[in-house]
Amino acid sequence: MTSPAERKYRVATAFQRRVGNPLLRRMPFQTLLETTGRVSGLPRTTPVGGRRVGDTFWLVSEFGERSQYVRNIKADPRVRVRIRGRWHTGTAHLVPDDDPVARLRSLPRLNSAAVRAIGAELLTVRVDLDG
């Protein structure tokens, strides 16, 4: 029997894969995270919510290390982030010691509310942007 958390994960990821991500990727000012596929080696683009603070971009993964982009980051931390329509390169770091609930309070409200509603295994991700 499938646990409620597992059902929530499956429903959310199926929706994101088929509806949410394809639509959001097309929006010109949606923040995007581009990782390198750990198996294919191809660029993988995921809409994210987060905030730039100086030369750092912060976000919270709603499914922690189960998120495909987090698994890609673990294999290759070099990423690109599109912020306000402009691409920036950087290095992503998983920050398990950070308090993701507190971090969400400092990030955009709409996305933070969605992450809290959907998420089960929150994980903070920090991207150190290049120059």
Side-chain angles (χ1 to χ4, degrees):
M1 179 166 225
T2 307
S3 72
E6 182 63 23
R7 269 194 302 274
K8 189 178 193 181
Y9 171 77
R10 287 182 183 182
V11 168
T13 56
F15 175 80
Q16 289 171 340
R17 191 176 309 116
R18 291 180 180 87
V19 180
N21 290 354
L23 290 175
L24 290 173
R25 277 194 295 260
R26 288 180 174 80
M27 297 177 76
F29 288 100
Q30 169 67 45
T31 302
L32 299 175
L33 175 68
E34 183 183 87
T35 60
T36 301
R38 64 194 172 283
V39 175
S40 69
L42 298 173
R44 300 296 182 201
T45 307
T46 306
V48 295
R51 175 162 285 140
R52 183 177 183 166
V53 179
D55 287 334
T56 304
F57 183 79
W58 294 92
L59 67 127
V60 174
S61 168
E62 66 264 49
F63 295 114
E65 295 194 19
R66 291 183 74 180
S67 293
Q68 296 302 314
Y69 68 86
V70 170
R71 294 172 73 189
N72 289 342
I73 287 168
K74 288 175 79 172
D76 181 358
R78 294 296 301 161
V79 300
R80 292 194 322 151
V81 182
R82 188 179 78 180
I83 305 166
R84 296 187 183 130
R86 185 166 170 237
W87 286 100
H88 305 270
T89 58
T91 304
H93 305 274
L94 307 181
V95 192
D97 294 337
D98 191 60
D99 180 352
V101 175
R103 179 69 56 193
L104 284 170
R105 287 194 285 273
S106 71
L107 301 180
R109 269 194 221 157
L110 181 60
N111 178 262
S112 294
V115 168
R116 276 193 296 273
I118 296 170
E121 303 167 36
L122 304 179
L123 174 65
T124 301
V125 179
R126 181 188 82 232
V127 178
D128 295 331
L129 302 172
D130 300 335

PDB file of all heavy atoms in Angstrom, residues 2-11 13 16-17 38 61-72 74 94 120-123:
ATOM      1  N   THR A   2       0.455   2.243  -0.735  1.00  0.00           N
ATOM      2  CA  THR A   2       1.220   3.470  -0.878  1.00  0.00           C
ATOM      3  C   THR A   2       0.885   4.441   0.246  1.00  0.00           C
ATOM      4  O   THR A   2      -0.278   4.664   0.558  1.00  0.00           O
ATOM      5  CB  THR A   2       0.896   4.129  -2.235  1.00  0.00           C
ATOM      6  OG1 THR A   2       1.093   3.167  -3.267  1.00  0.00           O
ATOM      7  CG2 THR A   2       1.782   5.306  -2.492  1.00  0.00           C
ATOM      8  N   SER A   3       1.920   5.048   0.818  1.00  0.00           N
ATOM      9  CA  SER A   3       1.712   6.007   1.904  1.00  0.00           C
ATOM     10  C   SER A   3       1.151   7.313   1.342  1.00  0.00           C
ATOM     11  O   SER A   3       1.314   7.617   0.155  1.00  0.00           O
ATOM     12  CB  SER A   3       3.033   6.285   2.622  1.00  0.00           C
ATOM     13  OG  SER A   3       3.861   7.064   1.800  1.00  0.00           O
ATOM     14  N   PRO A   4       0.487   8.114   2.194  1.00  0.00           N
ATOM     15  CA  PRO A   4      -0.024   9.416   1.731  1.00  0.00           C
ATOM     16  C   PRO A   4       1.097  10.317   1.198  1.00  0.00           C
ATOM     17  O   PRO A   4       0.909  11.010   0.199  1.00  0.00           O
ATOM     18  CB  PRO A   4      -0.660  10.015   2.985  1.00  0.00           C
ATOM     19  CG  PRO A   4      -1.025   8.838   3.827  1.00  0.00           C
ATOM     20  CD  PRO A   4       0.048   7.812   3.548  1.00  0.00           C
ATOM     21  N   ALA A   5       2.262  10.280   1.820  1.00  0.00           N
ATOM     22  CA  ALA A   5       3.384  11.106   1.354  1.00  0.00           C
ATOM     23  C   ALA A   5       3.838  10.667  -0.037  1.00  0.00           C
ATOM     24  O   ALA A   5       4.150  11.502  -0.894  1.00  0.00           O
ATOM     25  CB  ALA A   5       4.542  11.031   2.345  1.00  0.00           C
ATOM     26  N   GLU A   6       3.875   9.358  -0.264  1.00  0.00           N
ATOM     27  CA  GLU A   6       4.279   8.844  -1.573  1.00  0.00           C
ATOM     28  C   GLU A   6       3.253   9.207  -2.636  1.00  0.00           C
ATOM     29  O   GLU A   6       3.600   9.584  -3.755  1.00  0.00           O
ATOM     30  CB  GLU A   6       4.475   7.326  -1.507  1.00  0.00           C
ATOM     31  CG  GLU A   6       4.937   6.703  -2.806  1.00  0.00           C
ATOM     32  CD  GLU A   6       6.313   7.176  -3.268  1.00  0.00           C
ATOM     33  OE1 GLU A   6       7.112   7.641  -2.442  1.00  0.00           O
ATOM     34  OE2 GLU A   6       6.581   7.078  -4.480  1.00  0.00           O
ATOM     35  N   ARG A   7       1.969   9.117  -2.297  1.00  0.00           N
ATOM     36  CA  ARG A   7       0.908   9.511  -3.245  1.00  0.00           C
ATOM     37  C   ARG A   7       1.027  10.986  -3.600  1.00  0.00           C
ATOM     38  O   ARG A   7       0.920  11.366  -4.762  1.00  0.00           O
ATOM     39  CB  ARG A   7      -0.471   9.221  -2.654  1.00  0.00           C
ATOM     40  CG  ARG A   7      -1.003   7.852  -2.990  1.00  0.00           C
ATOM     41  CD  ARG A   7      -2.488   7.743  -2.686  1.00  0.00           C
ATOM     42  NE  ARG A   7      -2.795   8.018  -1.291  1.00  0.00           N
ATOM     43  CZ  ARG A   7      -2.750   7.119  -0.313  1.00  0.00           C
ATOM     44  NH1 ARG A   7      -2.411   5.883  -0.585  1.00  0.00           N
ATOM     45  NH2 ARG A   7      -3.041   7.448   0.924  1.00  0.00           N
ATOM     46  N   LYS A   8       1.260  11.814  -2.584  1.00  0.00           N
ATOM     47  CA  LYS A   8       1.415  13.254  -2.791  1.00  0.00           C
ATOM     48  C   LYS A   8       2.588  13.527  -3.740  1.00  0.00           C
ATOM     49  O   LYS A   8       2.480  14.327  -4.673  1.00  0.00           O
ATOM     50  CB  LYS A   8       1.650  13.925  -1.435  1.00  0.00           C
ATOM     51  CG  LYS A   8       1.619  15.413  -1.431  1.00  0.00           C
ATOM     52  CD  LYS A   8       1.825  15.878   0.020  1.00  0.00           C
ATOM     53  CE  LYS A   8       1.514  17.315   0.214  1.00  0.00           C
ATOM     54  NZ  LYS A   8       1.730  17.754   1.589  1.00  0.00           N
ATOM     55  N   TYR A   9       3.695  12.848  -3.526  1.00  0.00           N
ATOM     56  CA  TYR A   9       4.878  12.998  -4.374  1.00  0.00           C
ATOM     57  C   TYR A   9       4.554  12.609  -5.811  1.00  0.00           C
ATOM     58  O   TYR A   9       4.878  13.336  -6.750  1.00  0.00           O
ATOM     59  CB  TYR A   9       6.020  12.140  -3.820  1.00  0.00           C
ATOM     60  CG  TYR A   9       7.212  12.043  -4.736  1.00  0.00           C
ATOM     61  CD1 TYR A   9       8.120  13.091  -4.838  1.00  0.00           C
ATOM     62  CD2 TYR A   9       7.426  10.903  -5.506  1.00  0.00           C
ATOM     63  CE1 TYR A   9       9.220  13.008  -5.679  1.00  0.00           C
ATOM     64  CE2 TYR A   9       8.524  10.808  -6.348  1.00  0.00           C
ATOM     65  CZ  TYR A   9       9.408  11.865  -6.438  1.00  0.00           C
ATOM     66  OH  TYR A   9      10.485  11.775  -7.280  1.00  0.00           O
ATOM     67  N   ARG A  10       3.915  11.469  -5.993  1.00  0.00           N
ATOM     68  CA  ARG A  10       3.602  10.985  -7.351  1.00  0.00           C
ATOM     69  C   ARG A  10       2.645  11.911  -8.084  1.00  0.00           C
ATOM     70  O   ARG A  10       2.837  12.202  -9.265  1.00  0.00           O
ATOM     71  CB  ARG A  10       3.018   9.569  -7.281  1.00  0.00           C
ATOM     72  CG  ARG A  10       4.044   8.538  -6.959  1.00  0.00           C
ATOM     73  CD  ARG A  10       3.456   7.161  -6.955  1.00  0.00           C
ATOM     74  NE  ARG A  10       4.446   6.177  -6.565  1.00  0.00           N
ATOM     75  CZ  ARG A  10       4.211   4.888  -6.517  1.00  0.00           C
ATOM     76  NH1 ARG A  10       3.022   4.418  -6.826  1.00  0.00           N
ATOM     77  NH2 ARG A  10       5.158   4.062  -6.151  1.00  0.00           N
ATOM     78  N   VAL A  11       1.614  12.383  -7.399  1.00  0.00           N
ATOM     79  CA  VAL A  11       0.643  13.293  -8.025  1.00  0.00           C
ATOM     80  C   VAL A  11       1.315  14.611  -8.384  1.00  0.00           C
ATOM     81  O   VAL A  11       1.158  15.128  -9.497  1.00  0.00           O
ATOM     82  CB  VAL A  11      -0.571  13.523  -7.098  1.00  0.00           C
ATOM     83  CG1 VAL A  11      -1.439  14.668  -7.597  1.00  0.00           C
ATOM     84  CG2 VAL A  11      -1.392  12.243  -6.983  1.00  0.00           C
ATOM     85  N   THR A  13       4.558  15.331  -8.840  1.00  0.00           N
ATOM     86  CA  THR A  13       5.568  15.235  -9.896  1.00  0.00           C
ATOM     87  C   THR A  13       4.924  14.947 -11.252  1.00  0.00           C
ATOM     88  O   THR A  13       5.398  15.461 -12.268  1.00  0.00           O
ATOM     89  CB  THR A  13       6.640  14.175  -9.571  1.00  0.00           C
ATOM     90  OG1 THR A  13       6.020  12.918  -9.328  1.00  0.00           O
ATOM     91  CG2 THR A  13       7.479  14.594  -8.382  1.00  0.00           C
ATOM     92  N   GLN A  16       3.590  18.333 -12.373  1.00  0.00           N
ATOM     93  CA  GLN A  16       4.696  19.217 -12.756  1.00  0.00           C
ATOM     94  C   GLN A  16       5.286  18.797 -14.100  1.00  0.00           C
ATOM     95  O   GLN A  16       5.559  19.638 -14.949  1.00  0.00           O
ATOM     96  CB  GLN A  16       5.790  19.206 -11.687  1.00  0.00           C
ATOM     97  CG  GLN A  16       5.393  19.917 -10.419  1.00  0.00           C
ATOM     98  CD  GLN A  16       6.402  19.697  -9.300  1.00  0.00           C
ATOM     99  OE1 GLN A  16       7.187  18.754  -9.314  1.00  0.00           O
ATOM    100  NE2 GLN A  16       6.360  20.569  -8.311  1.00  0.00           N
ATOM    101  N   ARG A  17       5.476  17.514 -14.299  1.00  0.00           N
ATOM    102  CA  ARG A  17       6.097  17.006 -15.522  1.00  0.00           C
ATOM    103  C   ARG A  17       5.223  17.257 -16.752  1.00  0.00           C
ATOM    104  O   ARG A  17       5.716  17.634 -17.809  1.00  0.00           O
ATOM    105  CB  ARG A  17       6.371  15.509 -15.376  1.00  0.00           C
ATOM    106  CG  ARG A  17       7.245  14.930 -16.458  1.00  0.00           C
ATOM    107  CD  ARG A  17       7.592  13.464 -16.233  1.00  0.00           C
ATOM    108  NE  ARG A  17       8.111  13.202 -14.892  1.00  0.00           N
ATOM    109  CZ  ARG A  17       7.505  12.421 -13.985  1.00  0.00           C
ATOM    110  NH1 ARG A  17       6.382  11.826 -14.264  1.00  0.00           N
ATOM    111  NH2 ARG A  17       8.041  12.239 -12.805  1.00  0.00           N
ATOM    112  N   ARG A  38      22.061  13.788 -15.229  1.00  0.00           N
ATOM    113  CA  ARG A  38      23.103  12.907 -14.702  1.00  0.00           C
ATOM    114  C   ARG A  38      23.301  11.659 -15.556  1.00  0.00           C
ATOM    115  O   ARG A  38      24.369  11.054 -15.527  1.00  0.00           O
ATOM    116  CB  ARG A  38      22.790  12.528 -13.249  1.00  0.00           C
ATOM    117  CG  ARG A  38      21.541  11.724 -13.063  1.00  0.00           C
ATOM    118  CD  ARG A  38      21.089  11.671 -11.610  1.00  0.00           C
ATOM    119  NE  ARG A  38      19.796  11.038 -11.515  1.00  0.00           N
ATOM    120  CZ  ARG A  38      18.652  11.627 -11.817  1.00  0.00           C
ATOM    121  NH1 ARG A  38      18.634  12.881 -12.211  1.00  0.00           N
ATOM    122  NH2 ARG A  38      17.509  10.980 -11.716  1.00  0.00           N
ATOM    123  N   SER A  61      13.914  23.056  -2.356  1.00  0.00           N
ATOM    124  CA  SER A  61      13.351  21.919  -3.089  1.00  0.00           C
ATOM    125  C   SER A  61      12.240  21.293  -2.247  1.00  0.00           C
ATOM    126  O   SER A  61      12.450  20.972  -1.074  1.00  0.00           O
ATOM    127  CB  SER A  61      14.450  20.883  -3.347  1.00  0.00           C
ATOM    128  OG  SER A  61      13.879  19.667  -3.792  1.00  0.00           O
ATOM    129  N   GLU A  62      11.072  21.122  -2.853  1.00  0.00           N
ATOM    130  CA  GLU A  62       9.939  20.580  -2.101  1.00  0.00           C
ATOM    131  C   GLU A  62      10.048  19.083  -1.830  1.00  0.00           C
ATOM    132  O   GLU A  62       9.417  18.580  -0.927  1.00  0.00           O
ATOM    133  CB  GLU A  62       8.611  20.904  -2.787  1.00  0.00           C
ATOM    134  CG  GLU A  62       8.410  20.233  -4.133  1.00  0.00           C
ATOM    135  CD  GLU A  62       8.799  21.119  -5.286  1.00  0.00           C
ATOM    136  OE1 GLU A  62       9.906  21.701  -5.275  1.00  0.00           O
ATOM    137  OE2 GLU A  62       8.006  21.222  -6.226  1.00  0.00           O
ATOM    138  N   PHE A  63      10.865  18.383  -2.609  1.00  0.00           N
ATOM    139  CA  PHE A  63      11.025  16.939  -2.402  1.00  0.00           C
ATOM    140  C   PHE A  63      12.456  16.556  -2.064  1.00  0.00           C
ATOM    141  O   PHE A  63      12.853  15.410  -2.237  1.00  0.00           O
ATOM    142  CB  PHE A  63      10.524  16.150  -3.613  1.00  0.00           C
ATOM    143  CG  PHE A  63       9.044  16.304  -3.831  1.00  0.00           C
ATOM    144  CD1 PHE A  63       8.563  16.945  -4.952  1.00  0.00           C
ATOM    145  CD2 PHE A  63       8.137  15.860  -2.888  1.00  0.00           C
ATOM    146  CE1 PHE A  63       7.206  17.107  -5.147  1.00  0.00           C
ATOM    147  CE2 PHE A  63       6.781  16.021  -3.067  1.00  0.00           C
ATOM    148  CZ  PHE A  63       6.309  16.646  -4.206  1.00  0.00           C
ATOM    149  N   GLY A  64      13.216  17.524  -1.596  1.00  0.00           N
ATOM    150  CA  GLY A  64      14.563  17.238  -1.133  1.00  0.00           C
ATOM    151  C   GLY A  64      15.395  16.495  -2.151  1.00  0.00           C
ATOM    152  O   GLY A  64      15.391  16.833  -3.336  1.00  0.00           O
ATOM    153  N   GLU A  65      16.095  15.471  -1.696  1.00  0.00           N
ATOM    154  CA  GLU A  65      17.000  14.727  -2.570  1.00  0.00           C
ATOM    155  C   GLU A  65      16.263  13.830  -3.555  1.00  0.00           C
ATOM    156  O   GLU A  65      16.896  13.221  -4.425  1.00  0.00           O
ATOM    157  CB  GLU A  65      18.009  13.942  -1.738  1.00  0.00           C
ATOM    158  CG  GLU A  65      18.927  14.882  -0.973  1.00  0.00           C
ATOM    159  CD  GLU A  65      20.155  14.211  -0.403  1.00  0.00           C
ATOM    160  OE1 GLU A  65      20.520  13.120  -0.868  1.00  0.00           O
ATOM    161  OE2 GLU A  65      20.753  14.810   0.504  1.00  0.00           O
ATOM    162  N   ARG A  66      14.946  13.760  -3.484  1.00  0.00           N
ATOM    163  CA  ARG A  66      14.172  13.002  -4.469  1.00  0.00           C
ATOM    164  C   ARG A  66      13.930  13.821  -5.736  1.00  0.00           C
ATOM    165  O   ARG A  66      13.596  13.264  -6.772  1.00  0.00           O
ATOM    166  CB  ARG A  66      12.829  12.581  -3.884  1.00  0.00           C
ATOM    167  CG  ARG A  66      12.964  11.550  -2.794  1.00  0.00           C
ATOM    168  CD  ARG A  66      11.639  11.109  -2.294  1.00  0.00           C
ATOM    169  NE  ARG A  66      11.008  10.235  -3.277  1.00  0.00           N
ATOM    170  CZ  ARG A  66       9.819   9.692  -3.115  1.00  0.00           C
ATOM    171  NH1 ARG A  66       9.126   9.917  -2.023  1.00  0.00           N
ATOM    172  NH2 ARG A  66       9.308   8.918  -4.042  1.00  0.00           N
ATOM    173  N   SER A  67      14.058  15.147  -5.638  1.00  0.00           N
ATOM    174  CA  SER A  67      13.855  16.001  -6.813  1.00  0.00           C
ATOM    175  C   SER A  67      14.909  15.669  -7.861  1.00  0.00           C
ATOM    176  O   SER A  67      16.089  15.516  -7.550  1.00  0.00           O
ATOM    177  CB  SER A  67      13.974  17.473  -6.433  1.00  0.00           C
ATOM    178  OG  SER A  67      12.924  17.859  -5.590  1.00  0.00           O
ATOM    179  N   GLN A  68      14.452  15.580  -9.109  1.00  0.00           N
ATOM    180  CA  GLN A  68      15.385  15.231 -10.186  1.00  0.00           C
ATOM    181  C   GLN A  68      16.495  16.270 -10.322  1.00  0.00           C
ATOM    182  O   GLN A  68      17.653  15.921 -10.528  1.00  0.00           O
ATOM    183  CB  GLN A  68      14.624  15.062 -11.511  1.00  0.00           C
ATOM    184  CG  GLN A  68      13.629  13.923 -11.500  1.00  0.00           C
ATOM    185  CD  GLN A  68      14.263  12.586 -11.184  1.00  0.00           C
ATOM    186  OE1 GLN A  68      15.308  12.232 -11.739  1.00  0.00           O
ATOM    187  NE2 GLN A  68      13.661  11.825 -10.285  1.00  0.00           N
ATOM    188  N   TYR A  69      16.157  17.556 -10.178  1.00  0.00           N
ATOM    189  CA  TYR A  69      17.206  18.564 -10.318  1.00  0.00           C
ATOM    190  C   TYR A  69      18.211  18.493  -9.171  1.00  0.00           C
ATOM    191  O   TYR A  69      19.393  18.774  -9.369  1.00  0.00           O
ATOM    192  CB  TYR A  69      16.646  19.980 -10.503  1.00  0.00           C
ATOM    193  CG  TYR A  69      15.927  20.592  -9.326  1.00  0.00           C
ATOM    194  CD1 TYR A  69      16.619  21.277  -8.340  1.00  0.00           C
ATOM    195  CD2 TYR A  69      14.548  20.525  -9.224  1.00  0.00           C
ATOM    196  CE1 TYR A  69      15.960  21.870  -7.276  1.00  0.00           C
ATOM    197  CE2 TYR A  69      13.880  21.118  -8.171  1.00  0.00           C
ATOM    198  CZ  TYR A  69      14.586  21.788  -7.200  1.00  0.00           C
ATOM    199  OH  TYR A  69      13.924  22.378  -6.156  1.00  0.00           O
ATOM    200  N   VAL A  70      17.789  18.065  -7.995  1.00  0.00           N
ATOM    201  CA  VAL A  70      18.732  17.890  -6.890  1.00  0.00           C
ATOM    202  C   VAL A  70      19.644  16.696  -7.182  1.00  0.00           C
ATOM    203  O   VAL A  70      20.860  16.768  -6.952  1.00  0.00           O
ATOM    204  CB  VAL A  70      17.994  17.720  -5.545  1.00  0.00           C
ATOM    205  CG1 VAL A  70      18.952  17.293  -4.439  1.00  0.00           C
ATOM    206  CG2 VAL A  70      17.278  19.011  -5.167  1.00  0.00           C
ATOM    207  N   ARG A  71      19.090  15.643  -7.715  1.00  0.00           N
ATOM    208  CA  ARG A  71      19.910  14.482  -8.080  1.00  0.00           C
ATOM    209  C   ARG A  71      20.924  14.865  -9.163  1.00  0.00           C
ATOM    210  O   ARG A  71      22.065  14.412  -9.140  1.00  0.00           O
ATOM    211  CB  ARG A  71      19.010  13.343  -8.534  1.00  0.00           C
ATOM    212  CG  ARG A  71      18.146  12.828  -7.369  1.00  0.00           C
ATOM    213  CD  ARG A  71      17.109  11.842  -7.810  1.00  0.00           C
ATOM    214  NE  ARG A  71      17.756  10.573  -8.136  1.00  0.00           N
ATOM    215  CZ  ARG A  71      17.130   9.568  -8.713  1.00  0.00           C
ATOM    216  NH1 ARG A  71      15.855   9.672  -9.026  1.00  0.00           N
ATOM    217  NH2 ARG A  71      17.772   8.459  -8.968  1.00  0.00           N
ATOM    218  N   ASN A  72      20.501  15.728 -10.104  1.00  0.00           N
ATOM    219  CA  ASN A  72      21.429  16.207 -11.132  1.00  0.00           C
ATOM    220  C   ASN A  72      22.533  17.074 -10.517  1.00  0.00           C
ATOM    221  O   ASN A  72      23.697  16.979 -10.918  1.00  0.00           O
ATOM    222  CB  ASN A  72      20.689  16.996 -12.212  1.00  0.00           C
ATOM    223  CG  ASN A  72      19.827  16.110 -13.085  1.00  0.00           C
ATOM    224  OD1 ASN A  72      20.002  14.899 -13.137  1.00  0.00           O
ATOM    225  ND2 ASN A  72      18.871  16.712 -13.767  1.00  0.00           N
ATOM    226  N   LYS A  74      23.740  16.851  -7.524  1.00  0.00           N
ATOM    227  CA  LYS A  74      24.681  15.974  -6.822  1.00  0.00           C
ATOM    228  C   LYS A  74      25.694  15.369  -7.792  1.00  0.00           C
ATOM    229  O   LYS A  74      26.854  15.171  -7.441  1.00  0.00           O
ATOM    230  CB  LYS A  74      23.923  14.872  -6.078  1.00  0.00           C
ATOM    231  CG  LYS A  74      23.177  15.393  -4.864  1.00  0.00           C
ATOM    232  CD  LYS A  74      22.348  14.326  -4.219  1.00  0.00           C
ATOM    233  CE  LYS A  74      23.198  13.416  -3.364  1.00  0.00           C
ATOM    234  NZ  LYS A  74      22.385  12.468  -2.576  1.00  0.00           N
ATOM    235  N   LEU A  94      23.902  21.867  -1.932  1.00  0.00           N
ATOM    236  CA  LEU A  94      22.802  21.431  -1.077  1.00  0.00           C
ATOM    237  C   LEU A  94      23.166  21.842   0.340  1.00  0.00           C
ATOM    238  O   LEU A  94      24.301  21.652   0.769  1.00  0.00           O
ATOM    239  CB  LEU A  94      22.612  19.924  -1.180  1.00  0.00           C
ATOM    240  CG  LEU A  94      22.445  19.387  -2.611  1.00  0.00           C
ATOM    241  CD1 LEU A  94      22.241  17.889  -2.596  1.00  0.00           C
ATOM    242  CD2 LEU A  94      21.311  20.086  -3.328  1.00  0.00           C
ATOM    243  N   ALA A 120       7.275  17.646   1.119  1.00  0.00           N
ATOM    244  CA  ALA A 120       7.324  16.729   2.245  1.00  0.00           C
ATOM    245  C   ALA A 120       8.738  16.634   2.809  1.00  0.00           C
ATOM    246  O   ALA A 120       8.918  16.399   3.988  1.00  0.00           O
ATOM    247  CB  ALA A 120       6.846  15.350   1.800  1.00  0.00           C
ATOM    248  N   GLU A 121       9.731  16.830   1.944  1.00  0.00           N
ATOM    249  CA  GLU A 121      11.131  16.677   2.343  1.00  0.00           C
ATOM    250  C   GLU A 121      11.884  17.926   1.901  1.00  0.00           C
ATOM    251  O   GLU A 121      12.643  17.884   0.945  1.00  0.00           O
ATOM    252  CB  GLU A 121      11.725  15.442   1.670  1.00  0.00           C
ATOM    253  CG  GLU A 121      10.965  14.165   1.963  1.00  0.00           C
ATOM    254  CD  GLU A 121      11.380  13.033   1.026  1.00  0.00           C
ATOM    255  OE1 GLU A 121      12.570  12.954   0.672  1.00  0.00           O
ATOM    256  OE2 GLU A 121      10.507  12.257   0.658  1.00  0.00           O
ATOM    257  N   LEU A 122      11.664  19.037   2.568  1.00  0.00           N
ATOM    258  CA  LEU A 122      12.249  20.303   2.152  1.00  0.00           C
ATOM    259  C   LEU A 122      13.773  20.293   2.291  1.00  0.00           C
ATOM    260  O   LEU A 122      14.313  19.758   3.251  1.00  0.00           O
ATOM    261  CB  LEU A 122      11.664  21.450   2.978  1.00  0.00           C
ATOM    262  CG  LEU A 122      10.136  21.588   2.946  1.00  0.00           C
ATOM    263  CD1 LEU A 122       9.706  22.750   3.829  1.00  0.00           C
ATOM    264  CD2 LEU A 122       9.630  21.746   1.530  1.00  0.00           C
ATOM    265  N   LEU A 123      14.431  20.905   1.303  1.00  0.00           N
ATOM    266  CA  LEU A 123      15.889  20.991   1.292  1.00  0.00           C
ATOM    267  C   LEU A 123      16.301  22.323   0.680  1.00  0.00           C
ATOM    268  O   LEU A 123      15.868  22.653  -0.428  1.00  0.00           O
ATOM    269  CB  LEU A 123      16.494  19.842   0.478  1.00  0.00           C
ATOM    270  CG  LEU A 123      18.006  19.864   0.264  1.00  0.00           C
ATOM    271  CD1 LEU A 123      18.753  19.700   1.596  1.00  0.00           C
ATOM    272  CD2 LEU A 123      18.421  18.792  -0.729  1.00  0.00           C
TER     273      LEU A 123
END
